[in-house]
Amino acid sequence: MKFFSDNAAAVHPRIWAAMQAADAPDTAYDGDRLSQRLDAAFSETFGRPVTALWAATGTAANCLALAAMVPPHGAVVCHREAHIEVDEGGAPGFFTHGAKLILAEGDGAKLDPAAIAAAIDPIRPDVHQVQPHAVSITQASEYGRAYTPDEVSAIGALAKARGLRLHMDGARFANAVAHLGCTPAAVSADAGVDALSFGFIKNGGMSAEAIVFFSEGLADVVRFRRKRAGHLQSKGRYLAAQILAMLEGDLWLDNARVANAAAAEIAASARDRLIQPVEANEIFLTLSPAEAAALRAQGFEFYDWPAPAGAPGAARLVTSWSNDPAHVAALARALAAL
Amino acid sequence: MKFFSDNAAAVHPRIWAAMQAADAPDTAYDGDRLSQRLDAAFSETFGRPVTALWAATGTAANCLALAAMVPPHGAVVCHREAHIEVDEGGAPGFFTHGAKLILAEGDGAKLDPAAIAAAIDPIRPDVHQVQPHAVSITQASEYGRAYTPDEVSAIGALAKARGLRLHMDGARFANAVAHLGCTPAAVSADAGVDALSFGFIKNGGMSAEAIVFFSEGLADVVRFRRKRAGHLQSKGRYLAAQILAMLEGDLWLDNARVANAAAAEIAASARDRLIQPVEANEIFLTLSPAEAAALRAQGFEFYDWPAPAGAPGAARLVTSWSNDPAHVAALARALAAL
Amino acid sequence: MKFFSDNAAAVHPRIWAAMQAADAPDTAYDGDRLSQRLDAAFSETFGRPVTALWAATGTAANCLALAAMVPPHGAVVCHREAHIEVDEGGAPGFFTHGAKLILAEGDGAKLDPAAIAAAIDPIRPDVHQVQPHAVSITQASEYGRAYTPDEVSAIGALAKARGLRLHMDGARFANAVAHLGCTPAAVSADAGVDALSFGFIKNGGMSAEAIVFFSEGLADVVRFRRKRAGHLQSKGRYLAAQILAMLEGDLWLDNARVANAAAAEIAASARDRLIQPVEANEIFLTLSPAEAAALRAQGFEFYDWPAPAGAPGAARLVTSWSNDPAHVAALARALAAL
Amino acid sequence: MKFFSDNAAAVHPRIWAAMQAADAPDTAYDGDRLSQRLDAAFSETFGRPVTALWAATGTAANCLALAAMVPPHGAVVCHREAHIEVDEGGAPGFFTHGAKLILAEGDGAKLDPAAIAAAIDPIRPDVHQVQPHAVSITQASEYGRAYTPDEVSAIGALAKARGLRLHMDGARFANAVAHLGCTPAAVSADAGVDALSFGFIKNGGMSAEAIVFFSEGLADVVRFRRKRAGHLQSKGRYLAAQILAMLEGDLWLDNARVANAAAAEIAASARDRLIQPVEANEIFLTLSPAEAAALRAQGFEFYDWPAPAGAPGAARLVTSWSNDPAHVAALARALAAL
């Protein structure tokens, strides 16, 4: 019973079907009919004309977007625990040719305008110090916390006022939108986001994320840089097929709702243990080593997590569209019984 | 009837089956059971202990390998028409952090020791000039020409004598080996190749190439650089599944033989037109604009190609495992009838 | 009366004389007789065979050294207030091709083994996180604090145990050695330092620092990278001349002693105001805005500095070999009179 | 009697005087009074408002300018024998983060619009091929050939038509202008050049070149990149002093005229040997090994050069402002006597 990562989840049957339907030979790279439909599909999803490119990983999506926003001599403001800082093996430095990450603080791995200002206000506007050019926020955050439309808008307003671009790492964008019940545009395009890494892989896809550009000029540069980074797959139609199937009938939202509901069910059984409010498909809870061992003895798999001050231990549980409901119920019961 | 690129071919049924068999949740990235089997599978294929990593594109495979072989201040010798020079959007410069490509000459887009020496001998061994650190050759070449074991060995010997690493771009390695009838090791590991980009995507795969390391120390660096380049896919098991299915029962050779046979059939019908000997799955032939139009009117799709001196025009035809035999026969007849 | 930076100080007469003595045409770049003498001169200074290269700035010296120690996918541990982090415009990211700086804490901008361990111990040894490859410390530190031989040795031992290279930013190495009264080797080569940026520009030079390599193999790479970074000056003899004149008769130590004595004289007049012990040529002291204004009204120039908690304000005063003793005495009196 | 490189020449007395006059402490980096005067001084020289920055080497000047003109995924067109291709140790790849050099052909190491078009016309405008973003020409060329105003204008017009920036490597700009007898603007700003590396070091300076920007927006980026490349010297006033002294009273032209006259005198004595017209301060001539030995036996120092087809050998002679007229006359006599 696997609750350690949504990265490990299976591929959704409708994704398989869409990929197989794409099997007929077609133009290579992104010249195929499916890749050519991405702009229209995302424009419908976001209610405005957008440009969208596929990429095989969230790291590539994030870093290609950032590299179009920040020069090598610039910097990106992000949370101290952001994926781009902590878990991407230095990819931002590679794609941007050495731009810096300026680390800001915030509960639940979320930023707000004050935290961003606190990080950049001390920077002297001279050539001796690296100047910020962009902000990157994660929706949902590394702790499964969702930014509301107002929260994103406030950051968007700050970014605009300071002349900074705004990037959103949406590896779990679907889970955040499903939780918020808003339109996808409300927490992205409407709120000042310039480019969104829209994740599908954790949500039932196999190997396709999208980079959605709300501001002009960025996509053209990324097309060249995607090729240069070895990310322009020759059989791109299989990536486009995954994404189109995800958007069709809002499968992305349905899958996220299933994952979120599983997380909510588990969280409801462990209210007193929660370290963070559960606003997506991740649950962070206190758990003593003995309790963790007891759960594992029952067949539950999950990662330990650094314990907050005063707690004997902690764990991270992640749900996905593919969790067996019986496993979810079993985990909820097991937690309640601890 | 598509003969413009093996990049456009369909995915082989056994690859589909293997991918679907990998659907059960497993450890993310390359910690899954399938990815963990790659070293053993390739060690068997090459008859010695090797290390192998998957990558989603040939460009990534080539450039990750090269970046482990050449420092940013160094250079790679390759053919003037090599894919890394002509068709990878500057990816070698990106992955190596600015190393140069030193261009050498040779018929059929093939190098030999004399051509390599001619390119590097004039370089003064001082800091003002960029020093070569590696050689990259393409098997089969951009013109569908195969290097024999002796030819690779001669280049390998030169490389060793000059202190250069040897990389092989094997986007069509299968076609070359099928043509030569040798072991895969005979034109790679045995011949002094340090790292091979072993292509599967043009040969019936979907999205997985392998980088096979015959020399120690390179793979460890590439593991970090693969992640840093956004090429460590979270559901890596689907890439490993493709590769393992290709190696199993030598599907890679069977598919290449089918493609090569189709190319041979077409070539046999147009002997007088051939610009290059057909040693893999590509046919380069002279074709006047009127002839090209006539073929296209019959439903054959292919690319025009720069004409050799004195010819009224030229074309490139590429076959793959998935060409309908009837289409191949029809094309052969049509060419014979011109 | 300028106390704002030793960067602004005049060039020492003996440096002028040495440069002019180098005026006869000689081989370009570093092939001249003076540049060829650097290794021997520094070998004598450090009591062992070393290799030394000139560079025109401390930033170049630091970053060329670091780039030889850390791969693009690696990281350097340094203090949160280190010059390479705060004041070099992102140069480490440029020279290393995007390696990270891992920031550690410590009083007086000094590191110790515990601080370094605290910064790197949480890093998982996997490809998702950037791995440390080197440590960089500053002697004297950004707050004018000197590392004793034992302190450097302790860091050197940790570095060796962890497989990390050790770099020393010695922009004010002379001031530290003059303060400590030890040999230059005692706080560098003997203590495990692999490469030292040995500063001369703040200490009476014009445009020449040295990178001194105590470990083999590093200098050869830096020779190529120095050229590639545009730092191989064609009339290198004028840089070598400065450095040789500095080493001759220990002018570097004499100049540093003068600067340190001036700092000590000023510090002695303001004991209660000192924020940091004065161990080189920098004085950090509390100073209210009114007091600062009063000093400036008397003609003293200096920079304000972020005030420590509870203080009404702070300032940084820097002395150099070229301060007029009367100005120093005047400043000491003025401070005492506040 | 040294005729091997103008890089080896002595520093002009008026440059020494200007540097020493700059010795009084002043603001560090480029905040000093002299550096602040550069824009005005060059604006007068070029008869229009320009921005100018100092840099310590021609390589840095060239590559900082190019990096502001071409993105990492782009390319610069230059001559196959351009200094940036042949003699800068890969610096363009470093400063531009991996942009390519596209090599074009031309007699005397000069380009013309047809040669540039021949190099870039075959490039497909897609992401698989690296797109040109700039052209770089060298004035005077690597073979001491000067571009006339019309020739530069023709290239400028092509560049503008193709959307390319135009850079001029003016390591010997002074010699070319002195030869042409035109205004400096006529072969740069008036002719469509966006940025000029204006060389002074070969012409009597010590360590200062200028990057002169005729197009807006470039200088601001270069300011940040200069610091990031370790090229913002802390005692920048000594570089600015050199440049201002060079511009004052047109010392740069006077020195170039002396060097050119020496070259003309030597060339006049060896008319039949000239491989290239002498249009600056370099003489390329045929010279058998025995003749070369005979000259060297008389005390003349110079470099051998690759011989043109049919010639028994060749040599390069370079003059500078500092050649003793007696040495020049002696060399002319010795050549005539061969």
Side-chain angles (χ1 to χ4, degrees), chain C residues 1 19 33 51 69 97-98 108 110 113 117 119 125 132 154 162 173 179 183 192 204 216 275 327 329 332:
Chain C
M1 292 177 287
M19 293 172 75
R33 287 156 303 162
T51 305
M69 293 178 167
H97 300 291
K110 285 173 63 182
R162 300 295 186 104
F173 183 73
H179 169 78
T183 66
E216 288 190 18
I275 298 169
H327 294 176

Side-chain angles (χ1 to χ4, degrees), chain A residues 19 206-207, chain B residues 11 14-16 18-19 22 34 38 200-201 204-209 233 236-248 251:
Chain A
M19 292 173 74
M206 177 195 285
S207 59
Chain B
V11 170
R14 280 165 56 188
I15 303 296
W16 279 118
M19 292 172 75
L34 299 176
L38 286 187
F200 296 105
I201 295 171
M206 176 194 284
S207 60
E209 313 277 78
Q233 296 197 14
R237 64 192 190 271
Y238 296 106
L239 285 86
Q242 296 175 52
I243 294 171
L244 293 171
M246 272 288 182
L247 294 182
E248 189 170 340
L251 176 60

Side-chain angles (χ1 to χ4, degrees), chain D residues 267-299:
Chain D
S269 71
R271 284 267 166 263
D272 297 345
R273 297 178 175 278
L274 296 183
I275 298 169
Q276 295 283 345
V278 174
E279 300 171 353
N281 63 325
E282 294 186 290
I283 305 135
F284 293 84
L285 37 71
T286 56
L287 207 62
S288 71
E291 292 169 332
L295 289 177
R296 287 185 171 120
Q298 298 171 59

Side-chain angles (χ1 to χ4, degrees), chain C residues 2 4-11 16 19-20 23-29 56-57 59-60 83 87-91 93-95 97 201-202 204-207 224 227-235 237-238 322, chain D residues 2 4-11 16 19-20 23-29 56-57 59-60 83 87-91 93-95 97 201-202 204-207 224 227-235 237-238 322:
Chain C
K2 291 177 162 46
F4 56 80
S5 176
D6 37 8
N7 272 331
V11 170
W16 279 117
M19 293 172 75
Q20 292 184 302
D23 211 23
D26 197 345
T27 303
Y29 303 108
T57 66
T59 294
H83 202 261
D87 284 306
E88 298 193 350
F94 182 51
F95 282 82
H97 300 291
I201 296 172
K202 295 177 192 293
M206 176 194 285
S207 59
F224 280 95
K227 171 63 195 177
R228 191 177 188 237
H231 279 287
L232 183 64
Q233 297 196 14
S234 61
K235 297 185 177 174
R237 63 192 190 273
Y238 297 106
S322 71
Chain D
K2 292 179 162 45
F4 57 77
S5 176
D6 38 7
N7 272 330
V11 170
W16 280 117
M19 292 173 74
Q20 292 184 303
D23 211 25
D26 197 346
T27 303
Y29 304 107
T57 67
T59 294
H83 202 260
D87 284 307
E88 298 193 349
F94 181 52
F95 281 82
H97 300 292
I201 295 172
K202 295 177 193 292
M206 177 194 284
S207 59
F224 280 96
K227 171 62 195 180
R228 193 179 187 236
H231 279 288
L232 183 64
Q233 297 196 14
S234 62
K235 296 184 177 175
R237 64 192 190 272
Y238 296 107
S322 72

Side-chain angles (χ1 to χ4, degrees), chain B residues 11-304:
Chain B
V11 170
H12 193 276
R14 280 165 56 188
I15 303 296
W16 279 118
M19 292 172 75
Q20 292 183 303
D23 211 24
D26 197 345
T27 303
Y29 304 107
D30 62 354
D32 63 278
R33 287 158 302 160
L34 299 176
S35 297
Q36 295 295 311
R37 283 176 44 202
L38 286 187
D39 287 358
F42 280 100
S43 295
E44 191 178 323
T45 298
F46 286 96
R48 80 201 55 212
V50 305
T51 306
L53 302 178
W54 41 251
T57 66
T59 294
N62 286 337
C63 296
L64 285 168
L66 290 173
M69 293 177 166
V70 57
H73 59 277
V76 179
V77 183
C78 69
H79 193 275
R80 179 174 303 285
E81 301 191 65
H83 202 259
I84 56 173
E85 162 66 9
V86 174
D87 284 307
E88 298 193 350
F94 181 51
F95 281 82
T96 65
H97 300 292
K100 283 184 72 164
L101 300 183
I102 296 172
L103 305 182
E105 314 288 343
D107 286 341
K110 286 174 62 183
L111 296 182
D112 62 24
I116 296 167
I120 64 178
D121 282 348
I123 297 170
R124 298 189 313 267
D126 65 35
V127 300
H128 301 271
Q129 299 207 314
V130 181
Q131 304 300 310
H133 286 252
V135 173
S136 179
I137 59 176
T138 306
Q139 174 77 308
S141 82
E142 298 302 309
Y143 285 105
R145 300 289 303 280
Y147 286 91
T148 65
D150 281 354
E151 289 172 335
V152 181
S153 294
I155 294 172
L158 175 85
K160 189 168 182 182
R162 300 295 187 104
L164 308 174
R165 294 282 199 174
L166 180 56
H167 167 254
M168 177 171 279
D169 175 352
R172 295 188 181 94
F173 182 73
N175 301 284
V177 172
H179 169 78
L180 294 164
C182 64
T183 65
V187 283
S188 57
D190 291 351
V193 172
D194 293 292
L196 165 69
S197 302
F198 194 146
F200 296 105
I201 295 171
K202 295 176 192 293
N203 196 27
M206 176 194 284
S207 60
E209 313 277 78
I211 320 173
V212 185
F213 297 96
F214 304 118
S215 295
E216 287 190 20
L218 298 172
D220 289 339
V221 169
V222 173
R223 280 184 225 280
F224 280 95
R225 287 180 177 255
R226 179 175 64 171
K227 171 62 195 179
R228 193 177 187 237
H231 279 288
L232 183 64
Q233 296 197 14
S234 61
K235 297 184 177 175
R237 64 192 190 271
Y238 296 106
L239 285 86
Q242 296 175 52
I243 294 171
L244 293 171
M246 272 288 182
L247 294 182
E248 189 170 340
D250 285 341
L251 176 60
W252 64 283
L253 270 177
D254 291 343
N255 282 358
R257 285 179 189 128
V258 170
N260 286 5
E265 179 177 347
I266 294 166
S269 72
R271 285 267 166 264
D272 296 345
R273 298 177 175 278
L274 296 182
I275 298 169
Q276 295 284 345
V278 174
E279 299 170 352
N281 63 324
E282 294 186 290
I283 305 135
F284 294 84
L285 37 70
T286 56
L287 207 62
S288 72
E291 293 169 330
L295 290 177
R296 288 186 172 119
Q298 298 172 58
F300 300 106
E301 297 179 63
F302 54 87
Y303 283 122
D304 292 329

Side-chain angles (χ1 to χ4, degrees), chain C residues 97-113:
Chain C
H97 300 291
K100 282 184 70 165
L101 300 183
I102 296 172
L103 306 181
E105 314 287 343
D107 285 343
K110 285 173 63 182
L111 297 182
D112 62 25

